[in-house]
């Protein structure tokens, strides 16, 4: 569905085609702070800058495509989350959004904890010095080896996702002579308003144990009986890219209800609840995400209120934002290779990356914005589709957005808000070499994840 089939303003066709776009922005050169990282601006020559460095210099030094991550913004977002939740709560950054050793060090320095969901993420965290007790281990099918390693190194919590896993973790912990702190992940039966593949609290899906039918209560019963487990709380994650707090409220209410049932049945009050991640960010100027302090206030209020009415002490709350911390901090810089105007339709602008560095558009129909960043332009806005260089017509980075009509090969364009789930979901499709992540701060840029090389590809090909 189009947001506006007939956007106002100059255009290269009388009637624009249906699509996911608003009217062209009044000023195509403006880099809306809503979607761009905090230190992004333009210099006197009209080039976009980040951390004081122009994209033109950055492209020369690091090549394109590349992700540029604003370190000051990342750190500021960590602090905003930590401050909003205060001493009485814990913020776990969800490493799946984007993880590297530099990121782990920033998290450590800014006082955040880390949620990992694989052996690879755990290794990255440990190798950069994250204290194991600040790590939560997730996943719906953790292997025996993964569980063993997590218990051995002493992760702060393992989030149990199934009945089998309750028994498995208990057994492994006991065999190692340990008592593992765990939470049980429940599905609360909330339909979050987001894409089907990133909604996780309805019952018909793979994660967690349903509250419905007494399943979660039974899971608690079993966990409490096992010597290898110290059950510290209940976990719920309702989905991703969510703007509406209503789903979190229902989730918090149902989790607190379970705590009350546990108290009534077992005479114990579980001390913690984790409400997961999933807070949305602005991908386009039309999105209006909540600030961390609003989110913290809303969640604290609902949990406190529900606990008071159930006669429970308020548990310690934790949250797991991934996208909301790293998403807005990075943009992907591309060079335009070809431009193909289709009269009455749109202009296809091909860049030197594509679905291998951003699969989200193809996978979730995600919306992004784009800007010409190597210069400004006063040319009229044309409806454009930014596409990659892969052998696939669904290889779309930005489905519908306006670029200036003089867009040409050699121009640099950038797609903001690509810090989360872009590099972390990047692929080698067509043997593309995954782009580097370059951290920029105070006039200095350094590679934190280097660009892949053909040698990297060939090293794996041992046939
Ligand atoms: N906690 C748990 C248990 C999760 O499964 C996730 C995300 C998070 C926290 C962090 O969610 P966030 O705050 O980043 O939304 N690839 C998809 C998103 C999948 C999210 C999976 N789990 C995307 O690109 O939108």
């Amino acid at each position: 569905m189009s947001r506006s089939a007939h956007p106002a303003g100059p255009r290269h066709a009388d009637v624009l085609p249906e699509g996911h776009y608003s009217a062209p922005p009044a000023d195509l050169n403006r880099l809306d702070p809503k979607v761009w990282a905090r230190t992004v601006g333009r210099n006197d020559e009209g080039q976009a800058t980040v951390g004081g460095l122009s994209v033109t210099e950055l492209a020369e030094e690091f090549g394109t495509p590349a992700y540029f991550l604003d370190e000051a913004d990342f750190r500021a977002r960590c602090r905003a989350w930590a401050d909003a939740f205060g001493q009485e709560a814990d913020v776990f950054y969800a490493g799946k959004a984007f993880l590297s050793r530099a990121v782990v060090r920033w998290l450590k320095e800014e006082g955040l904890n880390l949620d990992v969901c694989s052996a690879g993420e755990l290794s990255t965290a440990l190798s950069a010095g994250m204290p194991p007790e600040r790590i939560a281990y997730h996943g719906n099918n953790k292997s025996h080896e993964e569980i063993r390693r997590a218990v051995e190194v002493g992760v702060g919590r393992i989030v149990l996702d199934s009945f089998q896993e309750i028994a498995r973790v208990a057994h492994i912990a006991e065999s190692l002579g340990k008592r593992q702190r765990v939470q049980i992940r429940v599905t609360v039966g909330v339909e979050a308003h987001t894409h089907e593949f990133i909604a996780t609290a309805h019952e018909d899906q793979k994660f967690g144990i349903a509250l419905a039918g007494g399943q979660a209560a039974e899971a608690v019963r079993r966990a409490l009986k096992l010597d290898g487990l110290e059950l510290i709380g209940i976990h719920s994650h309702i989905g991703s890219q969510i703007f509406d707090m209503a789903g979190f409220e229902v989730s918090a209410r149902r989790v607190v209800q379970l705590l009350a049932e546990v108290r009534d049945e077992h005479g114990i009050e579980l001390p913690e609840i984790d409400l997961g991640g999933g807070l949305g960010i602005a991908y386009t100027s039309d999105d209006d995400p909540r600030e961390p302090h609003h989110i913290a206030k809303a969640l604290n209020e609902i949990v406190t209120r529900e606990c008071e009415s159930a006669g429970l002490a308020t548990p310690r709350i934790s949250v797991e934002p991934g996208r909301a911390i790293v998403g807005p901090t990075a943009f992907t810089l591309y060079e335009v290779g070809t431009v193909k105007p289709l009269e009455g339709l749109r202009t296809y602008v091909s860049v030197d990356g594509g679905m291998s560095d951003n699969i989200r558009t193809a996978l979730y129909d995600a919306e992004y914005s784009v800007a010409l960043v190597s210069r400004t332009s006063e040319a009229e806005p044309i409806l454009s589709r930014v596409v990659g260089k892969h052998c696939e017509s669904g290889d779309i980075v930005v489905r519908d957005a306006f670029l200036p009509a003089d867009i040409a090969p050699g121009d640099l364009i950038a797609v903001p808000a690509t810090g989360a789930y872009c590099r972390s979901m990047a692929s080698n499709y067509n043997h593309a070499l995954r782009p580097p992540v370059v951290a920029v701060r105070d006039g200095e840029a350094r590679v934190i994840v280097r660009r892949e090389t053909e040698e990297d590809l060939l090293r794996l090909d041992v046939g």
Side-chain angles (χ1 to χ4, degrees), residues 93-126:
Y93 169 76
K96 66 206 82 180
F98 172 64
L99 197 65
S100 77
R101 290 202 262 211
V103 163
V104 173
R105 285 191 288 269
W106 301 338
L107 295 169
K108 199 174 137 194
E109 286 164 16
E110 302 301 342
L112 264 63
N113 307 287
L114 175 63
D115 139 16
V116 301
C117 65
S118 70
E121 288 185 359
L122 180 62
S123 293
T124 305
L126 295 175

Side-chain angles (χ1 to χ4, degrees), residues 10 25-31 42-48 371-382 402-408 411-413:
D27 178 5
L28 273 188
N29 296 318
R30 178 170 181 265
L31 301 173
R42 280 199 195 263
N43 62 19
D44 294 342
E45 285 89 67
Q47 297 155 347
L372 170 61
V373 288
S374 45
R375 60 186 174 93
T376 52
S377 166
E378 299 312 318
E380 63 170 323
I382 49 164
F402 288 88
L403 282 168
D406 61 354
I407 189 84
D411 280 333
L412 296 176
I413 63 175

Side-chain angles (χ1 to χ4, degrees), residues 37 50 67-74 98 103 106 326 329-331 419 437-441 448:
V50 57
Y67 307 99
F68 291 96
L69 194 159
D70 182 342
E71 180 182 338
D73 193 9
F74 185 98
F98 172 64
V103 163
W106 301 338
V326 72
T329 67
F331 59 82
V437 182
V438 180
V440 186
R441 185 186 181 187
I448 58 170

